[in-house]
Amino acid sequence: MVKSCELCGAEADLHCAADSAFLCRSCDAKFHASNILFSRHVRRTICPGCKSLTGDSFSGPLSPSPRTTACCCGSSSESSCCSSLDRVSSSELSSTKTSRAVVNKARGREKRVMAAADGVLVKWCDELGLNGDLRNAVVSLASLALAVEKPTKVILAAAFWFGVRNSPKKVMRPSLKKVADVSGVAAGMIRAVESKLARAVTLQLKRWRVDSEEGWGENENVM
């Protein structure tokens, strides 16, 4: 399964466990070279053939040169480094009848993931002492941000920070450092991804507004 870069959306080349983030080489170089502590994060490369994590790891501000081999197992065919889930998914999708079941299963999985994400957001609110209207506002805004991106640990943390930043200013809001501490995601990564989420949310809201106006226009024409 191809993973996307958490920062730019391009195909990811490596994974940083410290940030729980998949990154392309360009974004990895920019992010992990921005701070000496970030540069110490150990990252694992992604096999260009089967798209699974390899055993190769490195640290430092710059990622190593891309692999030239087709697969980390030395073969372009299906290899042992491919996860069993990838193999099952490929075989299921070969049948039209089975693919429908896969789609329905994926939808059910997505609902469970979103429910779990809401649970995590509420848990972080509790740990930071956010309750009442503030907690409701933070979770609602974070859920809005999650509507434009699939939730990962980094996306969850960024969405939570989006909710905190855009919540009512009448009350004391937690700092980015506290959000980073409770989520376990580096503050720099949260800030970078939250900026991307904020732009995506703005665009999505504009689309919804346009769709709504067009719908009202069609109704008026019918009447």
Side-chain angles (χ1 to χ4, degrees):
M1 182 180 296
V2 177
K3 299 294 185 180
S4 298
C5 175
E6 306 278 3
L7 296 180
C8 71
E11 182 176 342
D13 297 303
L14 48 91
H15 179 262
C16 176
D19 297 317
S20 297
F22 288 93
L23 299 168
C24 66
R25 295 182 186 280
S26 176
C27 290
D28 172 68
K30 293 175 183 176
F31 180 75
H32 286 103
S34 64
N35 184 296
I36 190 171
L37 294 178
F38 294 169
S39 69
R40 295 174 181 170
H41 291 177
V42 175
R43 285 96 77 196
R44 290 176 62 190
T45 57
I46 296 175
C47 174
C50 65
K51 308 303 179 184
S52 64
L53 290 175
T54 70
D56 297 336
S57 61
F58 67 95
S59 61
L62 299 177
S63 58
S65 300
R67 279 180 171 272
T68 56
T69 55
C71 182
C72 58
C73 292
S75 172
S76 58
S77 60
E78 185 179 275
S79 56
S80 59
C81 63
C82 297
S83 67
S84 58
L85 178 60
D86 289 337
R87 292 197 294 270
V88 170
S89 297
S90 297
S91 60
E92 287 177 340
L93 290 174
S94 64
S95 169
T96 303
K97 188 174 181 179
T98 307
S99 66
R100 292 176 182 173
V102 173
V103 170
N104 292 332
K105 185 176 181 181
R107 288 175 179 171
R109 187 187 303 116
E110 184 177 353
K111 290 181 179 179
R112 291 193 295 272
V113 169
M114 293 307 296
D118 286 342
V120 172
L121 296 173
V122 171
K123 178 175 178 291
W124 288 347
C125 282
D126 291 341
E127 292 182 12
L128 291 172
L130 308 181
N131 47 50
D133 291 340
L134 179 58
R135 181 175 71 174
N136 293 338
V138 169
V139 173
S140 296
L141 288 166
S143 297
L144 176 63
L146 289 176
V148 299
E149 286 286 350
K150 293 181 180 179
T152 62
K153 184 178 180 180
V154 175
I155 295 295
L156 267 177
F160 186 78
W161 179 235
F162 174 84
V164 169
R165 287 188 66 234
N166 293 280
S167 59
K169 298 181 179 179
K170 297 179 180 179
V171 294
M172 184 66 70
R173 297 177 296 185
S175 65
L176 176 58
K177 182 180 183 305
K178 289 184 177 180
V179 172
D181 290 341
V182 77
S183 66
V185 179
M189 181 65 73
I190 293 176
R191 187 185 297 109
V193 177
E194 189 273 337
S195 177
K196 173 189 171 185
L197 278 180
R199 291 193 296 272
V201 168
T202 299
L203 290 174
Q204 186 61 55
L205 290 175
K206 288 181 178 178
R207 293 191 193 101
W208 287 340
R209 189 178 301 114
V210 169
D211 291 343
S212 178
E213 292 174 352
E214 290 179 349
W216 279 108
E218 291 177 359
N219 290 335
E220 290 176 355
N221 292 333
V222 172
M223 294 176 63

